[in-house]
Amino acid sequence: MPEHRVVLRNCGKIDPTDIASWLAVGGFQGLDRARSELTPEAVIGEVKASGLRGRGGAGFPTGLKWELTRKSPGDERYVICNADEGELGTFKDRYILERDPFTLVEGIAIACYAVGARHAFLYVRDEYGDLLDHLHRTISAAEAERPLGCSIHIREAAGAYVCGEESALMESIERKRGEPRYRPPFPPSKGLWGQPTVIQNVETMMNVPTILREGPEWFANLGTAQSKGTKVFSLSGDVSRPAVFEVPMGTPLREVVEQMAGARSVKMVQVGGASGRVVPYERIDAPLAFESILGAGAIIVYDDSRDAVEVGLRTMEFFLEECCGKCSPCRQGTEALVEILEGLVHGRGRERDLTLLQDIAENMMLASLCGLGQAAPNYLVDTLQSFRNEYLARLAA
Amino acid sequence: MESVALVDLVERYRQNGDLLSLLKSVQRRCGGLDRDTTAQLAEQIGLPVSELYGVITFYAFLSPRPLGRNVIRVCRCLPCTNRDSQTVLGTIKEELGIGPGETTVDRRFTLQMVNCIGACDVTPSMMVNEKRYGNLTPARVAQVLGSYL
């Protein structure tokens, strides 16, 4: 299967600083159709019928989220677009924001119309501070062309991985430390400032105008039974062509890793970045889909020269640094895991270490408050299975 | 520390409510968010100092310690580490004589290690202030640093 561009269809084809070039390729057609031909409920109906699911990793059905938000009682409703991609190995949202920010604005405006929101927030990671002026200009240009029906406010993050987690992100917009909330309640009933809130990843929003323009059936024809449409991936690591690729859902991992990114002598692939699952080479034909393996879009490739235990240590150090400290399973778990892995890497490994790693990992997955702590041990759990020999080899004699 | 006028920044915050943006602007202007600056700011925007300090210490890009005029942030994540980000650090040490967490004597540069900066397609990478630099070689690092001298 070759690359199939739906989300990225305009990237490289339009001038991202000139709205006329975007209008010429169908810009605003989705929003115009939504507002002139459809009620908000009918827009939600089309998004539901398309089968679109959130691209941030969890895969919650987008239309259902919108419906819940619209029906929840509240004084105000909010739409948030999460452009805080902080996962290791991801740069696809940057690619989109740089090359086709107009479609994103259109998607946000459609979401606002559907759920009845007057204000939307675009939360952009601090590492993309160089894109802020560009995004402000994009919003102004779009507003000058059409009434958007909502005000889109840009919010800059300040370098915290956990703020990509939806409830932490909302805390951050509310001027607090970006610590995740206890849930329920979930954002569709009580989100930003306690009001019903839709929060979507950049890539999810990018799909919305196309669904409205081409129709839900068109979209539902792409992909697999449970994963409709396409998926955008950022490929990095030991590949000869690190870049952004978009393929239909269900495409085998091998095609993306070997054919598109040009990887050789693959040992393992982290699908979903540091928090993603590890696919050893023997299983590289796995299809990329919600029902198989997907993540938020970061694919990091490791070749034969890499050591599974050392990669594990670096991965856990990342989570230790980014853990917010609110809940103890994650705060103490990440620290304990790093300590044990350091011991293994520096020749101080003991027999019981592997059992400890497994126990701590399982407890974190079960008891952590948010997705960070629940997913942090994924790498360890997977490699303790697939590359157990490398851990065993690290045990002191 | 001499107090720096923050009226315009506070005024903008009162309009847009964007606290992180305010803190970053103050940090740029004052070279960090030290105790006095934080206290002065807390009073002006009507937040407890403790709450503001809590926010400042939570985010990697906000610093309660003084910063150099330019902040270098070298990515230490796996895609960059596996493409020799060590050499980038080595070159910075050679050129400026500072390691991670340190500031040059002339306060021109502070060096920090950060997690993923979204430049995994052009590893190894770093940021200087808001700008990203990728595909770094020792020569390229020296050239970039030179442009901030």
Side-chain angles (χ1 to χ4, degrees), chain B residues 1 5 13 16 18 34 44 66 83 91 97 117 136:
Chain B
M1 189 171 155
Y13 166 74
N16 68 17
D18 192 342
D34 65 10
Q44 292 185 39
R83 291 284 169 103
T91 309
I117 59 171
L136 296 172

Side-chain angles (χ1 to χ4, degrees), chain A residues 41 70 132 157 179 189 222 230 232 244 268 288 346 374:
Chain A
E41 287 80 4
R70 183 167 182 87
L132 292 176
E179 293 176 354
S189 53
L222 285 164
T230 59
V232 182
V244 172
M268 60 178 176
L288 289 159
H346 297 116
Q374 289 160 14

Side-chain angles (χ1 to χ4, degrees), chain B residues 54-70:
Chain B
V55 170
I56 292 165
T57 51
F58 185 84
Y59 295 94
F61 279 37
L62 299 176
S63 172
R65 281 187 295 277
L67 293 172
R69 287 191 291 285
N70 302 292

Side-chain angles (χ1 to χ4, degrees), chain A residues 347-359:
Chain A
R348 299 190 307 271
R350 293 155 310 174
E351 193 70 46
R352 60 176 189 150
D353 282 351
L354 302 201
T355 322
L356 268 177
L357 285 176
Q358 186 76 36
D359 281 356

Side-chain angles (χ1 to χ4, degrees), chain A residues 307-329:
Chain A
D307 180 285
V309 184
E310 275 170 28
V311 172
L313 172 59
R314 186 61 209 106
T315 299
M316 286 319 301
E317 280 174 345
F318 168 73
F319 286 114
L320 173 59
E321 284 151 13
E322 296 297 343
C323 168
C324 78
K326 179 167 177 169
C327 76
S328 54

